[in-house]
Amino acid sequence: MKKLSLTTVATALFFASLQQASALPDRTECIAPAKPGGGFDLTCKLVQVSMLETKEIEKPMRVTYMPGGIGAVAYNAIVAQRPAEPGTIVAFSGGSLLNLAQGKFGRYNENDVRWLASVGSDYGMIAVREDSPYKNLQDLMEAFKKDPNSIVFGAGGSIGSQDWMKTALLAKQIDVDPRKMRYVAFEGGGETLTALLGNHIQVMSGDMSEMAPYLNDGKVRVLAVYADKRLSDGLENIPTAKEQGYEIVWPIIRGFYMGPKVSDEDYNQWVEAFQKLQQTDEFKKQRELRGLFEYNLTGQELDNYVKKEIEQYREQARSFGLVK
Protein backbone atom coordinates (compact mmCIF):
# COMPACT_ATOMS: atom_id res chain seq x y z
CA MET A 1 0.00 0.00 0.00
CA LYS A 2 1.33 3.43 -0.92
CA LYS A 3 2.34 5.50 2.11
CA LEU A 4 1.29 9.12 2.39
CA SER A 5 3.97 11.64 3.26
CA LEU A 6 3.64 13.72 6.41
CA THR A 7 3.25 16.81 4.23
CA THR A 8 0.36 15.26 2.29
CA VAL A 9 -1.40 14.24 5.50
CA ALA A 10 -0.89 17.65 7.07
CA THR A 11 -2.24 19.36 3.95
CA ALA A 12 -5.29 17.10 3.91
CA LEU A 13 -5.98 17.77 7.57
CA PHE A 14 -5.59 21.50 7.03
CA PHE A 15 -8.16 21.62 4.23
CA ALA A 16 -10.46 19.34 6.18
CA SER A 17 -10.32 21.74 9.11
CA LEU A 18 -11.13 24.64 6.79
CA GLN A 19 -14.19 22.80 5.49
CA GLN A 20 -15.31 22.05 9.00
CA ALA A 21 -14.76 25.68 10.07
CA SER A 22 -16.93 26.95 7.22
CA ALA A 23 -19.86 24.68 8.09
CA LEU A 24 -22.91 26.07 9.88
CA PRO A 25 -23.69 24.80 13.38
CA ASP A 26 -25.10 21.31 13.65
CA ARG A 27 -28.27 22.62 15.28
CA THR A 28 -29.92 25.60 13.63
CA GLU A 29 -33.03 27.51 14.63
CA CYS A 30 -35.10 30.21 12.98
CA ILE A 31 -37.26 32.34 15.26
CA ALA A 32 -40.47 33.72 13.76
CA PRO A 33 -41.53 36.64 15.99
CA ALA A 34 -45.28 35.95 15.64
CA LYS A 35 -47.77 33.11 15.61
CA PRO A 36 -47.74 30.60 12.71
CA GLY A 37 -49.16 31.58 9.35
CA GLY A 38 -47.86 35.10 8.75
CA GLY A 39 -44.93 36.75 7.03
CA PHE A 40 -42.33 35.85 9.66
CA ASP A 41 -43.34 32.20 9.44
CA LEU A 42 -43.04 32.39 5.66
CA THR A 43 -39.56 33.91 5.93
CA CYS A 44 -38.31 31.14 8.22
CA LYS A 45 -39.87 28.37 6.13
CA LEU A 46 -38.21 29.73 2.99
CA VAL A 47 -34.75 29.32 4.51
CA GLN A 48 -35.61 26.10 6.33
CA VAL A 49 -36.53 24.37 3.07
CA SER A 50 -33.94 25.86 0.73
CA MET A 51 -30.96 25.43 3.07
CA LEU A 52 -31.75 21.75 3.58
CA GLU A 53 -32.29 21.14 -0.13
CA THR A 54 -29.00 22.84 -1.06
CA LYS A 55 -27.08 21.02 1.71
CA GLU A 56 -26.12 24.24 3.50
CA ILE A 57 -27.39 22.42 6.60
CA GLU A 58 -27.45 18.67 7.17
CA LYS A 59 -30.31 18.52 9.66
CA PRO A 60 -33.67 20.29 9.36
CA MET A 61 -33.72 23.79 10.81
CA ARG A 62 -36.10 24.17 13.73
CA VAL A 63 -38.69 26.95 13.41
CA THR A 64 -39.92 28.37 16.71
CA TYR A 65 -42.55 31.03 17.30
CA MET A 66 -42.05 33.92 19.69
CA PRO A 67 -45.05 36.26 19.36
CA GLY A 68 -45.36 39.52 21.20
CA GLY A 69 -45.08 43.18 20.37
CA ILE A 70 -44.80 42.54 16.61
CA GLY A 71 -41.22 41.41 17.04
CA ALA A 72 -40.33 43.17 20.30
CA VAL A 73 -40.37 40.05 22.47
CA ALA A 74 -38.03 38.15 20.14
CA TYR A 75 -35.72 41.15 19.74
CA ASN A 76 -35.39 41.64 23.49
CA ALA A 77 -34.91 37.90 24.09
CA ILE A 78 -32.06 37.66 21.59
CA VAL A 79 -30.28 40.77 22.83
CA ALA A 80 -30.69 40.22 26.57
CA GLN A 81 -31.02 36.46 27.06
CA ARG A 82 -29.61 34.69 23.98
CA PRO A 83 -27.02 37.09 22.53
CA ALA A 84 -24.30 34.62 21.53
CA GLU A 85 -26.13 31.65 19.98
CA PRO A 86 -24.26 30.72 16.78
CA GLY A 87 -27.09 28.64 15.31
CA THR A 88 -30.01 31.02 15.86
CA ILE A 89 -31.32 33.48 13.30
CA VAL A 90 -34.39 35.71 13.71
CA ALA A 91 -36.74 36.85 10.95
CA PHE A 92 -37.42 40.54 10.44
CA SER A 93 -39.35 42.66 7.96
CA GLY A 94 -39.81 46.28 7.06
CA GLY A 95 -42.40 46.37 9.85
CA SER A 96 -39.72 45.41 12.36
CA LEU A 97 -37.59 48.33 11.17
CA LEU A 98 -40.53 50.71 11.46
CA ASN A 99 -41.17 49.60 15.05
CA LEU A 100 -37.49 50.07 15.87
CA ALA A 101 -37.67 53.56 14.39
CA GLN A 102 -40.54 54.39 16.76
CA GLY A 103 -38.80 52.98 19.83
CA LYS A 104 -41.30 50.12 20.21
CA PHE A 105 -38.64 47.54 21.04
CA GLY A 106 -37.97 49.04 24.44
CA ARG A 107 -34.45 50.08 25.38
CA TYR A 108 -32.84 48.37 22.40
CA ASN A 109 -32.31 49.90 18.97
CA GLU A 110 -31.00 48.97 15.52
CA ASN A 111 -27.40 48.89 16.76
CA ASP A 112 -28.02 46.06 19.23
CA VAL A 113 -28.12 43.05 16.85
CA ARG A 114 -26.08 41.75 13.91
CA TRP A 115 -28.00 42.23 10.65
CA LEU A 116 -27.36 39.11 8.60
CA ALA A 117 -29.08 38.75 5.22
CA SER A 118 -32.17 39.59 3.22
CA VAL A 119 -34.10 36.91 1.35
CA GLY A 120 -36.35 39.03 -0.81
CA SER A 121 -38.71 41.95 -1.07
CA ASP A 122 -42.43 42.01 -0.60
CA TYR A 123 -45.05 44.70 -1.23
CA GLY A 124 -47.92 45.99 0.83
CA MET A 125 -51.44 45.28 -0.29
CA ILE A 126 -55.05 45.72 0.76
CA ALA A 127 -57.55 42.84 0.52
CA VAL A 128 -61.19 41.92 1.14
CA ARG A 129 -63.21 38.73 1.10
CA GLU A 130 -64.14 37.48 -2.35
CA ASP A 131 -67.83 38.16 -1.63
CA SER A 132 -67.16 41.73 -0.49
CA PRO A 133 -69.21 44.50 -2.14
CA TYR A 134 -65.96 46.39 -2.77
CA LYS A 135 -64.74 45.29 -6.20
CA ASN A 136 -61.84 47.72 -6.45
CA LEU A 137 -59.97 50.28 -4.37
CA GLN A 138 -62.17 53.11 -5.56
CA ASP A 139 -65.30 51.34 -4.27
CA LEU A 140 -63.70 50.91 -0.87
CA MET A 141 -62.45 54.48 -0.62
CA GLU A 142 -65.80 55.96 -1.62
CA ALA A 143 -67.56 53.97 1.11
CA PHE A 144 -64.85 54.81 3.62
CA LYS A 145 -65.01 58.54 2.89
CA LYS A 146 -68.80 58.54 3.11
CA ASP A 147 -68.82 56.84 6.50
CA PRO A 148 -65.44 56.05 8.13
CA ASN A 149 -67.21 54.07 10.88
CA SER A 150 -68.80 51.65 8.42
CA ILE A 151 -65.59 49.76 7.67
CA VAL A 152 -63.35 47.84 10.07
CA PHE A 153 -59.71 47.51 9.00
CA GLY A 154 -57.48 44.82 10.47
CA ALA A 155 -53.75 44.20 10.31
CA GLY A 156 -50.84 42.52 12.03
CA GLY A 157 -49.70 45.54 13.99
CA SER A 158 -50.83 48.25 16.36
CA ILE A 159 -51.26 51.94 15.62
CA GLY A 160 -48.01 53.16 14.11
CA SER A 161 -47.14 49.80 12.54
CA GLN A 162 -46.45 49.56 8.82
CA ASP A 163 -49.86 48.00 8.12
CA TRP A 164 -51.55 50.80 10.07
CA MET A 165 -49.49 53.39 8.22
CA LYS A 166 -50.50 51.91 4.87
CA THR A 167 -54.18 52.40 5.77
CA ALA A 168 -53.44 55.81 7.30
CA LEU A 169 -51.85 56.94 4.03
CA LEU A 170 -55.00 55.88 2.18
CA ALA A 171 -57.17 57.80 4.65
CA LYS A 172 -54.97 60.86 4.31
CA GLN A 173 -55.40 60.85 0.52
CA ILE A 174 -59.18 61.16 0.84
CA ASP A 175 -58.97 63.70 3.69
CA VAL A 176 -60.14 61.31 6.41
CA ASP A 177 -58.45 61.64 9.79
CA PRO A 178 -56.56 58.33 10.34
CA ARG A 179 -57.56 58.51 14.02
CA LYS A 180 -61.18 58.04 12.96
CA MET A 181 -60.47 54.64 11.36
CA ARG A 182 -61.93 51.59 13.01
CA TYR A 183 -58.77 49.55 13.26
CA VAL A 184 -58.19 46.16 14.91
CA ALA A 185 -54.60 45.11 15.67
CA PHE A 186 -53.63 41.44 15.47
CA GLU A 187 -50.39 39.68 16.34
CA GLY A 188 -49.61 38.67 12.76
CA GLY A 189 -50.89 38.16 9.23
CA GLY A 190 -52.27 34.70 10.00
CA GLU A 191 -54.60 36.01 12.69
CA THR A 192 -55.68 38.91 10.48
CA LEU A 193 -56.56 36.61 7.59
CA THR A 194 -58.59 34.37 9.90
CA ALA A 195 -60.52 37.43 11.11
CA LEU A 196 -61.15 38.55 7.52
CA LEU A 197 -62.44 35.14 6.43
CA GLY A 198 -64.63 35.03 9.55
CA ASN A 199 -66.08 38.44 8.61
CA HIS A 200 -64.92 39.99 11.88
CA ILE A 201 -63.20 42.71 9.84
CA GLN A 202 -64.04 43.96 6.35
CA VAL A 203 -60.58 44.90 5.09
CA MET A 204 -57.10 43.47 5.64
CA SER A 205 -53.94 45.51 5.32
CA GLY A 206 -50.93 43.26 4.84
CA ASP A 207 -48.27 41.98 2.46
CA MET A 208 -48.57 40.26 -0.91
CA SER A 209 -46.56 37.22 0.19
CA GLU A 210 -49.10 36.54 2.93
CA MET A 211 -51.83 36.44 0.29
CA ALA A 212 -50.00 34.35 -2.32
CA PRO A 213 -51.14 30.94 -0.95
CA TYR A 214 -54.80 32.07 -0.89
CA LEU A 215 -55.24 33.83 -4.21
CA ASN A 216 -56.46 30.75 -6.06
CA ASP A 217 -58.90 29.39 -3.50
CA GLY A 218 -61.65 31.91 -4.26
CA LYS A 219 -61.86 33.34 -0.75
CA VAL A 220 -59.84 36.57 -0.92
CA ARG A 221 -59.61 39.45 -3.39
CA VAL A 222 -56.62 41.82 -3.40
CA LEU A 223 -57.88 45.30 -4.30
CA ALA A 224 -54.44 46.87 -4.77
CA VAL A 225 -50.74 46.20 -4.41
CA TYR A 226 -48.46 49.02 -3.25
CA ALA A 227 -45.85 48.67 -5.98
CA ASP A 228 -44.60 51.03 -8.69
CA LYS A 229 -45.96 48.74 -11.39
CA ARG A 230 -47.89 45.50 -11.64
CA LEU A 231 -46.08 42.44 -10.36
CA SER A 232 -45.18 39.39 -12.44
CA ASP A 233 -45.19 35.65 -11.80
CA GLY A 234 -48.95 35.19 -11.97
CA LEU A 235 -49.85 38.41 -10.15
CA GLU A 236 -50.27 40.55 -13.26
CA ASN A 237 -54.04 40.82 -12.80
CA ILE A 238 -53.72 42.68 -9.48
CA PRO A 239 -53.82 46.46 -10.04
CA THR A 240 -51.53 48.85 -8.21
CA ALA A 241 -52.84 51.58 -5.93
CA LYS A 242 -51.10 54.11 -8.17
CA GLU A 243 -53.01 53.13 -11.28
CA GLN A 244 -56.24 53.53 -9.31
CA GLY A 245 -55.33 57.08 -8.33
CA TYR A 246 -53.67 56.57 -4.93
CA GLU A 247 -49.99 57.47 -4.71
CA ILE A 248 -48.84 54.76 -2.32
CA VAL A 249 -45.77 52.59 -2.87
CA TRP A 250 -44.65 50.39 0.03
CA PRO A 251 -41.88 47.82 -0.54
CA ILE A 252 -41.05 45.47 2.34
CA ILE A 253 -37.70 43.79 2.87
CA ARG A 254 -37.58 40.37 4.56
CA GLY A 255 -34.50 38.89 6.15
CA PHE A 256 -32.66 37.85 9.31
CA TYR A 257 -30.54 39.10 12.18
CA MET A 258 -28.44 37.40 14.88
CA GLY A 259 -27.52 38.10 18.49
CA PRO A 260 -25.04 40.90 19.26
CA LYS A 261 -22.42 38.62 20.81
CA VAL A 262 -22.27 36.03 18.04
CA SER A 263 -18.60 35.71 17.11
CA ASP A 264 -17.26 37.18 13.89
CA GLU A 265 -16.36 33.66 12.77
CA ASP A 266 -19.88 32.31 13.25
CA TYR A 267 -21.48 35.41 11.79
CA ASN A 268 -19.29 35.30 8.68
CA GLN A 269 -20.10 31.61 8.16
CA TRP A 270 -23.78 32.54 7.99
CA VAL A 271 -23.06 35.47 5.66
CA GLU A 272 -21.16 33.18 3.29
CA ALA A 273 -23.90 30.54 3.47
CA PHE A 274 -26.54 33.11 2.50
CA GLN A 275 -24.41 34.47 -0.33
CA LYS A 276 -24.16 30.98 -1.77
CA LEU A 277 -27.82 30.20 -1.11
CA GLN A 278 -29.10 33.32 -2.86
CA GLN A 279 -27.55 32.15 -6.14
CA THR A 280 -29.10 28.68 -6.16
CA ASP A 281 -32.08 27.66 -8.29
CA GLU A 282 -33.70 25.97 -5.29
CA PHE A 283 -33.69 29.17 -3.25
CA LYS A 284 -35.06 31.18 -6.17
CA LYS A 285 -37.84 28.63 -6.62
CA GLN A 286 -38.77 28.70 -2.93
CA ARG A 287 -38.68 32.51 -2.90
CA GLU A 288 -41.02 32.67 -5.87
CA LEU A 289 -43.42 30.15 -4.31
CA ARG A 290 -43.77 32.52 -1.37
CA GLY A 291 -44.51 35.57 -3.48
CA LEU A 292 -41.22 37.32 -2.78
CA PHE A 293 -39.10 39.22 -5.27
CA GLU A 294 -35.31 39.22 -5.57
CA TYR A 295 -33.52 41.48 -3.11
CA ASN A 296 -30.15 40.15 -2.02
CA LEU A 297 -28.17 41.91 0.70
CA THR A 298 -25.78 40.40 3.24
CA GLY A 299 -23.47 41.49 6.04
CA GLN A 300 -22.33 45.11 6.06
CA GLU A 301 -24.38 45.95 2.97
CA LEU A 302 -27.57 44.93 4.78
CA ASP A 303 -26.47 46.73 7.95
CA ASN A 304 -26.11 49.97 5.97
CA TYR A 305 -29.49 49.50 4.31
CA VAL A 306 -31.29 48.81 7.61
CA LYS A 307 -29.93 51.88 9.34
CA LYS A 308 -30.78 54.13 6.41
CA GLU A 309 -34.33 52.76 6.23
CA ILE A 310 -34.89 53.21 9.95
CA GLU A 311 -33.91 56.85 9.74
CA GLN A 312 -36.39 57.36 6.89
CA TYR A 313 -39.11 55.62 8.89
CA ARG A 314 -38.42 57.95 11.83
CA GLU A 315 -39.05 60.92 9.55
CA GLN A 316 -42.33 59.40 8.34
CA ALA A 317 -43.43 58.57 11.89
CA ARG A 318 -42.78 62.17 12.93
CA SER A 319 -45.09 63.38 10.14
CA PHE A 320 -47.93 61.35 11.73
CA GLY A 321 -47.07 62.60 15.20
CA LEU A 322 -46.04 59.12 16.33
CA VAL A 323 -42.59 60.11 17.60
CA LYS A 324 -41.00 63.37 18.65
Side-chain angles (χ1 to χ4, degrees):
M1 184 173 67
K2 185 178 180 181
K3 291 184 178 181
L4 298 175
S5 69
L6 289 176
T7 302
T8 303
V9 172
T11 302
L13 289 173
F14 173 74
F15 282 107
S17 68
L18 282 182
Q19 285 186 328
Q20 187 175 11
S22 65
L24 294 178
D26 189 49
R27 294 183 179 180
T28 57
E29 175 188 17
C30 183
I31 295 177
K35 294 181 179 179
F40 290 133
D41 190 10
L42 173 149
T43 307
C44 280
K45 295 286 178 58
L46 165 59
V47 172
Q48 180 194 48
V49 173
S50 56
M51 278 200 164
L52 191 62
E53 288 293 324
T54 58
K55 310 299 184 185
E56 288 296 330
I57 53 177
E58 294 182 1
K59 297 179 181 179
M61 178 180 287
R62 181 175 63 163
V63 176
T64 56
Y65 302 95
M66 197 178 290
I70 320 299
V73 170
Y75 202 86
N76 279 262
I78 287 298
V79 177
Q81 300 162 22
R82 304 170 60 178
E85 295 183 1
T88 301
I89 61 175
V90 189
F92 80 90
S93 72
S96 312
L97 306 185
L98 180 60
N99 284 344
L100 276 167
Q102 296 178 44
K104 291 187 176 182
F105 282 8
R107 60 195 174 111
Y108 300 118
N109 61 37
E110 63 271 23
N111 299 308
D112 291 315
V113 298
R114 305 198 73 168
W115 300 99
L116 177 60
S118 64
V119 291
S121 177
D122 201 352
Y123 290 93
M125 64 88 220
I126 193 160
V128 296
R129 283 164 46 116
E130 184 62 38
D131 59 3
S132 169
Y134 311 120
K135 305 301 181 186
N136 52 54
L137 189 56
Q138 188 63 35
D139 288 347
L140 175 63
M141 289 296 95
E142 286 177 0
F144 182 43
K145 185 172 184 176
K146 184 177 180 181
D147 182 6
N149 289 318
S150 66
I151 297 169
V152 181
F153 293 86
S158 58
I159 290 176
S161 69
Q162 64 167 347
D163 288 336
W164 178 86
M165 291 188 78
K166 286 180 285 192
T167 56
L169 287 169
L170 280 174
K172 196 173 182 180
Q173 292 205 11
I174 57 171
D175 297 322
V176 171
D177 185 346
R179 292 172 293 183
K180 293 183 178 180
M181 290 191 302
R182 294 180 65 190
Y183 179 85
V184 180
F186 296 92
E187 184 55 45
E191 279 191 4
T192 311
L193 182 62
T194 299
L196 180 69
L197 295 177
N199 208 26
H200 302 296
I201 59 174
Q202 284 76 59
V203 183
M204 174 181 178
S205 175
D207 307 335
M208 273 306 305
S209 62
E210 294 174 328
M211 288 295 101
Y214 305 98
L215 292 179
N216 296 321
D217 63 8
K219 295 181 180 179
V220 177
R221 181 191 310 123
V222 176
L223 299 183
V225 59
Y226 300 141
D228 267 319
K229 57 184 180 181
R230 291 202 183 197
L231 304 179
S232 56
D233 301 322
L235 303 174
E236 296 89 349
N237 63 326
I238 299 173
T240 66
K242 284 182 68 174
E243 70 185 77
Q244 297 179 77
Y246 298 89
E247 290 294 324
I248 302 177
V249 177
W250 197 285
I252 305 150
I253 190 173
R254 292 199 175 276
F256 299 95
Y257 62 84
M258 300 185 75
K261 295 183 180 179
V262 172
S263 71
D264 288 345
E265 181 183 5
D266 290 322
Y267 173 76
N268 288 331
Q269 286 170 1
W270 277 100
V271 168
E272 290 170 11
F274 269 100
Q275 289 172 342
K276 287 168 56 181
L277 183 72
Q278 290 165 346
Q279 305 309 313
T280 65
D281 291 338
E282 180 63 28
F283 171 78
K284 294 173 183 178
K285 182 182 80 172
Q286 295 297 332
R287 182 182 62 204
E288 183 178 328
L289 285 173
R290 288 159 178 79
L292 295 177
F293 300 86
E294 182 175 356
Y295 202 87
N296 297 331
L297 298 173
T298 56
Q300 188 59 50
E301 192 177 16
L302 176 64
D303 185 84
N304 294 340
Y305 169 89
V306 164
K307 289 168 183 176
K308 182 179 177 182
E309 281 294 290
I310 287 176
E311 191 51 47
Q312 291 177 351
Y313 281 142
R314 283 197 181 105
E315 294 284 334
Q316 201 165 40
R318 288 188 191 105
S319 72
F320 279 104
L322 299 172
V323 296
K324 293 181 180 179

